Amino acid sequence: MGNQFYGNVQKSFVEDILNLSIKTLERKQADDKLDIRTSSMVIEVARVLEHTYQVFDDKEKVQRWLSKPNNALHGETPLSLFSTPTGIGMIEDVLTRIEEGVYS
């Protein structure tokens, strides 16, 4: 699952969450700046991913949790909800409930 998971996650992240094609991102130079919306999304997603790693403390558990449909998220996968601020907020709420011992 390792490399294939990350390849799929990378493609999904770039295309679905950042609304960029992989080719566009690959063409960017190291010193090219992202637009404000994209930069904000990257920061928010990184913050939530850090929270996810704090909660699960294991890379494989994080990968499973991100890609598995979650009842607390109306049957959606957490990964599929990263593309909107509302979705990110929902993911944060579920992570907080897990931390507090409330089943999610």
Side-chain angles (χ1 to χ4, degrees), residues 2 10 26 35-36 42 46 48-49 55-56 60 70 75 85 96 99:
Q10 180 183 25
E26 288 172 345
D35 62 64
I36 290 172
V42 169
V48 173
L49 288 174
V55 169
F56 293 104
E60 289 183 18
N70 188 306
T96 300
E99 282 179 315

Side-chain angles (χ1 to χ4, degrees), residues 61-88:
K61 288 180 184 176
V62 168
Q63 291 173 350
R64 254 193 323 269
W65 189 79
L66 287 173
S67 60
K68 183 179 176 186
N70 188 306
N71 289 336
L73 298 172
H74 310 291
E76 298 292 328
T77 65
L79 192 58
S80 72
L81 296 175
F82 274 113
S83 61
T84 66
T86 302
I88 289 172

Side-chain angles (χ1 to χ4, degrees):
M1 181 160 97
N3 289 338
Q4 181 182 5
F5 176 83
Y6 282 115
N8 292 338
V9 168
Q10 180 183 25
K11 186 176 188 324
S12 175
F13 179 82
V14 171
E15 292 182 351
D16 298 339
I17 297 170
L18 300 181
N19 200 27
L20 292 172
S21 74
I22 288 281
K23 296 291 183 195
T24 299
L25 192 60
E26 288 172 345
R27 283 193 302 267
K28 285 192 173 292
Q29 300 298 314
D31 58 351
D32 285 349
K33 293 183 179 181
L34 298 172
D35 62 64
I36 290 172
R37 180 200 170 279
T38 303
S39 295
S40 294
M41 287 300 291
V42 169
I43 291 167
E44 284 302 301
V45 169
R47 185 181 57 74
V48 173
L49 288 174
E50 180 180 11
H51 190 185
T52 306
Y53 274 92
Q54 289 170 353
V55 169
F56 293 104
D57 197 33
D58 178 90
K59 186 169 104 175
E60 289 183 18
K61 288 180 184 176
V62 168
Q63 291 173 350
R64 254 193 323 269
W65 189 79
L66 287 173
S67 60
K68 183 179 176 186
N70 188 306
N71 289 336
L73 298 172
H74 310 291
E76 298 292 328
T77 65
L79 192 58
S80 72
L81 296 175
F82 274 113
S83 61
T84 66
T86 302
I88 289 172
M90 291 170 64
I91 295 165
E92 275 290 323
D93 289 345
V94 171
L95 289 169
T96 300
R97 289 190 310 217
I98 292 170
E99 282 179 315
E100 295 172 353
V102 179
Y103 177 75
S104 291

